[in-house]
Amino acid sequence: EVQLVESGGGLVKPGGSLRLSCAASGFTFSSSSMNWVRQAPGKGLEWVSSISGSSRYIYYADSVKGRFTISRDNAKNSLFLQMNRLGAEDTAVYYCGKEIGTGSYVDFWGQGTLVTVSS
Amino acid sequence: ETVMTQSPATLSVFPGERATLSCRASQTVRSDLAWYQQKPGQAPRLLIYDASTRATGIPARFSASGSGTEFTLTISSLQSEDFAVYHCQQYNNWPPKTFGQGTKVEIK
C-alpha cells in the first residue's frame, strides 16, 4: 500500500525558514518523480516543485524559485522541501505527491502538512 | 504559463442527477490533463488522467473527455459521496503544472 506522510509544518514568522519532510512507503521511491503541491486556505491547488527519481531534474514554480529547495534521500525513502524567506503568501497546506513517469500527474497524495506564516 | 479555467465555480445538483464540469486551457495541452476530487479536510484523489482514463478504483459513473483546450468531466448519477471540489490540472506545458481554480459540486 502506497503511503506518503508529510511532517514539519507549523507556525513560523515572516522571513523565517521551515523544512518539510515526506516519508514514502509501498512503492519504489527511487524510481518515482515526486512533487510538492500547496493549497492556501480556501483556495485552489498550486504546484510548487518536482524532482526526478535520481534528483537530476528539478523544477520550481516562479513563486518559490530562489527561496525553496526540493531534495530527496532515496536511501531513506524521503522527500524534503526547504523553505526560506517565508512570507504570508506561503501559508498553505503542503502536500507531497507521487508522480507517474516524469512530467505527468500525481497519482497518490499525502495527507498534507499546514504551514502558517504569521507574526 | 498555461492558464486553466474551470466552470462553473459551483454546481448545485440533486442526488441522482448528472453533473457536467468544464475545464479550459489557455493553449493546447493535447490530452495531458488530469482530474482530481477533493473532499473537505482531505487530500486530493486522482480520478482521471490523460484526459479520459479512469484511475484505479474510480467508479464508472465518472467519465471524462476532451483534448487540446476543452475538457469535460461528467458524473452520470451523483451519489452522496461525490459532493466535493473537482480540480483539473495540465501537465503538457510545464513547468509550471497548472491547476484550475476548482469546481465545487454541492447538494441542491
Side-chain angles (χ1 to χ4, degrees):
Chain A
E1 178 192 5
V2 174
Q3 287 199 345
L4 296 171
V5 180
E6 300 94 335
S7 60
L11 177 63
V12 61
K13 288 181 168 54
S17 298
L18 213 54
R19 189 190 195 212
L20 305 184
S21 299
C22 173
S25 61
F27 63 101
T28 307
F29 181 73
S30 60
S31 299
S32 299
S33 292
M34 298 294 293
N35 294 255
W36 287 101
V37 176
R38 67 184 181 183
Q39 186 170 37
K43 302 296 185 183
L45 299 169
E46 179 188 15
W47 172 81
V48 172
S49 183
S50 296
I51 184 169
S52 63
S54 65
S55 302
R56 179 176 181 181
Y57 301 103
I58 288 177
Y59 306 93
Y60 297 99
D62 285 346
S63 58
V64 307
K65 200 174 293 182
R67 300 187 300 122
F68 290 12
T69 302
I70 191 172
S71 62
R72 62 193 296 160
D73 183 341
N74 287 343
K76 296 183 178 179
N77 285 356
S78 294
L79 175 72
F80 306 101
L81 187 68
Q82 176 66 43
M83 304 185 296
N84 298 331
R85 304 201 311 273
L86 286 161
E89 68 277 11
D90 298 313
T91 293
V93 174
Y94 285 73
Y95 297 100
C96 72
K98 168 184 164 295
E99 188 173 304
I100 286 288
T102 300
S104 69
Y105 52 92
V106 171
D107 70 324
F108 193 85
W109 301 67
Q111 86 290 348
T113 187
L114 176 62
V115 172
T116 303
V117 184
S118 175
S119 56
Chain B
E1 172 176 323
T2 301
V3 177
M4 306 301 292
T5 303
Q6 291 187 243
S7 61
T10 303
L11 186 61
S12 298
V13 185
F14 287 108
E17 283 192 337
R18 173 188 296 261
T20 302
L21 290 66
S22 295
C23 177
R24 173 176 293 177
S26 61
Q27 60 185 299
T28 182
V29 299
R30 301 196 304 178
S31 294
D32 296 332
L33 186 107
W35 290 94
Y36 303 93
Q37 177 193 65
Q38 187 179 28
K39 297 178 181 179
Q42 296 186 17
R45 177 176 73 143
L46 176 68
L47 291 179
I48 301 287
Y49 62 92
D50 295 345
S52 60
T53 303
R54 278 191 303 276
T56 302
I58 301 304
R61 64 180 181 272
F62 291 91
S63 63
S65 63
S67 66
T69 62
E70 301 283 344
F71 300 88
T72 300
L73 174 69
T74 301
I75 312 171
S76 60
S77 176
L78 271 156
Q79 307 298 302
S80 57
E81 62 266 30
D82 300 335
F83 292 96
V85 176
Y86 293 83
H87 307 271
C88 64
Q89 181 203 21
Q90 67 84 20
Y91 46 93
N92 183 69
N93 307 315
W94 74 284
K97 297 177 195 176
T98 43
F99 291 86
Q101 79 280 17
T103 290
K104 180 181 181 181
V105 178
E106 64 177 23
I107 300 175
K108 191 169 184 178

